[in-house]
């Protein structure tokens, strides 16, 4: 995996907020990243499992008030780091370079940018597990690249922040069945008698 914390934060933010599959994270190129006047970044996704004709889709990394948790800022910081390494803006001068390149066992990028290769799906999985372990999670092996996509869906549906249709616009699921499954799992706990009972016990101070 990559050794730069800037890359780690950018990858996690990008995968979560855009609900990307690991193949899409691996396939991102700098020429597909476009800054917007409002501070957000647009991602042009060329092809996905639900876009077999390859028409492409545009997704967004929004600008957040909390800069420590801002997905656009995370990508901007990583972009600035890569620009420093290259001595130029990769979006303009090297649009086919991978946004998340692989490094050697010492955490170094190849000196020749023509030899840069994208971080593959397996490496992205491993990176997410390593970061989960570093965060102190009990079972880091339960996490992977898909956890970013699943995490977005779960959080978006919790407390009805977004409707399933709105979530579908981000995730590009062909069917609502999968999303409705997430919602049923969330709501089945929140509306269950044991959940209401524990809340009542807490309120009564027992």
């Amino acid at each position: 995996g990559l050794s730069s914390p800037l890359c780690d934060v950018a990858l996690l933010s990008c995968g979560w907020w855009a609900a990307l599959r690991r193949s899409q994270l691996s396939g991102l190129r700098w020429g597909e990243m476009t800054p917007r006047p409002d501070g957000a970044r647009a991602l042009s996704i060329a092809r996905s499992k639900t876009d077999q004709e390859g028409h492409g889709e545009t997704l967004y990394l929004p600008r957040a008030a909390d800069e420590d948790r801002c997905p656009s800022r995370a990508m901007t910081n990583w972009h600035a780091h890569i620009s420093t390494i290259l001595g130029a803006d990769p979006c303009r001068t090297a649009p086919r370079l991978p946004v998340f390149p692989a490094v050697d066992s010492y955490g170094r990028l190849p000196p020749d940018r023509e030899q840069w290769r994208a971080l593959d799906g397996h490496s992205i999985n491993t990176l997410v597990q390593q970061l989960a372990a570093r965060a102190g999670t009990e079972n880091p092996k339960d996490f992977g690249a898909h956890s970013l996509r699943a995490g977005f869906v779960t959080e978006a549906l919790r407390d009805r922040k977004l409707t399933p249709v709105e979530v579908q616009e981000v995730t590009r699921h062909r069917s609502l069945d999968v999303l409705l499954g997430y919602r049923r799992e969330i709501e089945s706990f929140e509306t269950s008698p044991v959940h209401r009972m524990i809340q009542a016990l807490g309120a009564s101070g027992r």
Side-chain angles (χ1 to χ4, degrees), residues 41-88:
R41 282 183 175 263
L43 312 180
S44 298
I45 305 298
R47 187 184 179 92
S48 70
K49 287 169 61 176
T50 55
D51 177 31
Q52 294 301 316
E53 295 180 6
H55 295 305
E57 299 160 292
T58 301
L59 304 171
Y60 301 95
L61 298 181
R63 181 80 186 197
D66 184 350
E67 292 196 346
D68 290 335
R69 300 183 180 183
C70 176
S72 177
R73 178 182 174 85
M75 186 58 70
T76 296
N77 290 342
W78 177 234
H79 172 257
H81 182 70
I82 291 295
S83 295
T84 299
I85 292 174
L86 296 175

Side-chain angles (χ1 to χ4, degrees), residues 15-22 142-158 167 171 173 178-179 182-183 185-186:
W16 198 93
W17 280 96
L20 296 179
R21 297 178 173 89
R22 67 180 187 177
D142 291 344
F143 293 83
H146 185 69
S147 301
L148 304 177
R149 181 172 167 85
F152 173 85
V153 173
T154 302
E155 188 60 33
L157 292 176
R158 181 176 287 123
V167 175
T171 63
H173 279 105
V178 175
L179 297 181
Y182 280 101
R183 188 176 69 176
E185 181 178 341
I186 295 167

Side-chain angles (χ1 to χ4, degrees), residues 160-179:
R160 301 181 182 272
K161 295 181 183 71
L162 297 179
T163 67
V165 172
E166 288 171 329
V167 175
Q168 187 182 28
E169 290 181 14
V170 179
T171 63
R172 292 85 60 204
H173 279 105
R174 183 175 298 172
S175 169
L176 281 174
D177 289 345
V178 175
L179 297 181

